[in-house]
Amino acid sequence: MARIHELNSDGSVKRNFKGVKWAVIGVVAIALIVSSFTIVPAGNTGVVLTLGKVSESSFQEGAHFKIPFVQSVENMSNKIQVYETPASAVSKDLQTVSSTLAVNYRLISDKSPDMYKNVGIDYQTILITPVVQECFKSATANYTAEQLITARQTVADDVKESLEKKLQDYGIYIEKFNIVNFDFSSEFNNAIEAKQVAEQNLLKTKTEQEQAIVIANAEAEKKVISAKAEAEAILAEAQAQADANQLLEKSLTPKVIAYEQIQKWNGVMPKVTGNDGGMLVNIDLDDIENSSPSYNTPQYTEEPVDNTYPDIPVE
């Protein structure tokens, strides 16, 4: 089937632009619809700009409607961010301190429009960097180099407190502050090492002396206890002997003494005896025999001695 074309006055074929027109209208409509909506990612705050001016209201996470081609949205992250930087300072005793600092911070959501308006999106470089350096230098100036080593956490707490005071009004919240390391000059490190060695040697010597004193005291106490026990044993033995002597003295009657003498006599006359005065007299039997009359010589009397014995009746 032949197609009939409409001709222009000059005889050329008249073109139909209706399809292109509707296509353009459709594209413009889609662009308007797309530009009328915005999506704020999770963990962000949408700062609304109306013809470049920061609006007081802001968008939270999710999809939002905005005036196309008039309003724009700038996303500001509220997530925790880590800022790490080297820093140098001078201690209270004028020792140079080099350190690496790490700051965990986040932007407060409600303060995001003010931050964008007053500082911009590069607030880390503009605010955080100089404030961290300043607070670190101020804190280390209150401590000696040795205290910085032993009280690192205390120094970190001081720096964190100073950071919070200076950055909170800008809407920056400090989650955590860490001093990664401390580094001093080689001369100071050698001096610290020598001091530690000297203290260890002094502590070792003191410990050895204390141990020697403890051992000496123990030995002395042991000797005292031994001497005391020995003295008590001697005293007990002496007391027992005294008690035995006293008991023996009470039991030695004259009859018992005589009985003991008879039991122990061997039949030989004693050559030494004692008188009532306690003097010992030597008795020599040979002298007695020579000086005394002979007992073998018969003795005579006026009357004869009757040597007969009476008869003893036998039953």
Side-chain angles (χ1 to χ4, degrees):
M1 182 177 179
R3 186 175 180 181
I4 299 174
H5 296 281
E6 186 177 356
L7 299 176
N8 295 322
S9 59
D10 59 357
S12 61
V13 178
K14 185 180 289 187
R15 298 182 180 277
N16 189 357
F17 291 98
K18 291 183 179 180
V20 176
K21 178 181 177 180
W22 287 110
V24 171
I25 293 173
V27 170
V28 172
I30 293 173
L32 287 174
I33 295 173
V34 170
S35 62
S36 299
F37 290 91
T38 185
I39 297 177
V40 179
N44 286 261
T45 297
V47 178
V48 180
L49 304 176
T50 304
L51 297 177
K53 182 181 178 181
V54 177
S55 301
E56 294 182 359
S57 60
S58 59
F59 293 158
Q60 301 302 316
E61 304 170 0
H64 300 273
F65 175 80
K66 65 182 182 65
I67 302 174
F69 307 111
V70 176
Q71 291 181 329
S72 62
V73 177
E74 188 70 36
N75 293 321
M76 301 285 286
S77 176
N78 303 125
K79 297 178 181 179
I80 296 177
Q81 303 179 61
V82 179
Y83 169 69
E84 188 169 320
T85 181
S88 62
V90 178
S91 64
K92 188 176 182 179
D93 54 350
L94 303 180
Q95 293 292 331
T96 302
V97 183
S98 298
S99 181
T100 301
L101 309 178
V103 184
N104 292 5
Y105 71 94
R106 64 179 177 86
L107 183 63
I108 300 175
S109 178
D110 296 340
K111 296 287 186 178
S112 296
D114 292 335
M115 177 64 73
Y116 185 86
K117 179 180 180 180
N118 298 321
V119 180
I121 60 175
D122 195 17
Y123 52 86
Q124 184 180 97
T125 302
I126 298 173
L127 286 179
I128 297 179
T129 299
V131 172
V132 168
Q133 296 288 339
E134 178 188 355
C135 293
F136 178 70
K137 293 178 187 295
S138 177
T140 54
N142 297 324
Y143 298 88
T144 64
E146 187 173 353
Q147 288 173 339
L148 291 176
I149 298 174
T150 57
R152 175 183 295 188
Q153 187 58 48
T154 303
V155 179
D157 292 340
D158 291 347
V159 177
K160 182 176 182 293
E161 184 179 356
S162 299
L163 288 174
E164 289 175 344
K165 291 180 180 179
K166 292 181 178 296
L167 296 177
Q168 189 172 9
D169 292 339
Y170 291 96
I172 297 176
Y173 178 75
I174 304 299
E175 292 282 348
K176 192 174 182 180
F177 177 82
N178 290 319
I179 299 175
V180 179
N181 70 295
F182 276 123
D183 191 17
F184 303 92
S185 63
S186 57
E187 292 80 5
F188 178 77
N189 291 333
N190 293 335
I192 289 294
E193 183 178 357
K195 182 179 179 181
Q196 293 295 328
V197 172
E199 290 179 352
Q200 291 296 328
N201 292 336
L202 179 60
L203 181 61
K204 180 181 178 182
T205 302
K206 184 178 180 181
T207 303
E208 291 176 350
Q209 291 176 350
E210 291 177 351
Q211 290 178 348
I213 292 174
V214 171
I215 293 174
N217 291 337
E219 291 294 333
E221 186 177 356
K222 181 179 179 181
K223 291 181 179 179
V224 169
I225 294 174
S226 178
K228 184 177 180 181
E230 184 177 357
E232 290 178 353
I234 294 174
L235 180 62
E237 184 179 358
Q239 185 65 42
Q241 186 64 41
D243 294 341
N245 292 339
Q246 186 177 5
L247 182 61
L248 181 61
E249 182 180 357
K250 291 181 180 180
S251 64
L252 290 177
T253 62
K255 291 182 179 182
V256 172
I257 294 173
Y259 175 78
E260 290 294 332
Q261 289 176 345
I262 293 171
Q263 291 294 324
K264 295 182 179 180
W265 184 47
N266 57 3
V268 179
M269 292 297 294
K271 294 184 178 183
V272 180
T273 186
N275 56 17
D276 294 337
M279 295 297 293
L280 296 176
V281 180
N282 185 18
I283 301 175
D284 192 345
L285 296 179
D286 294 336
D287 292 341
I288 294 175
E289 291 178 357
N290 294 331
S291 61
S292 61
S294 176
Y295 289 95
N296 297 325
T297 306
Q299 300 294 324
Y300 298 97
T301 60
E302 293 180 358
E303 295 180 358
V305 180
D306 187 4
N307 292 326
T308 63
Y309 296 93
D311 295 332
I312 300 174
V314 179
E315 295 180 0

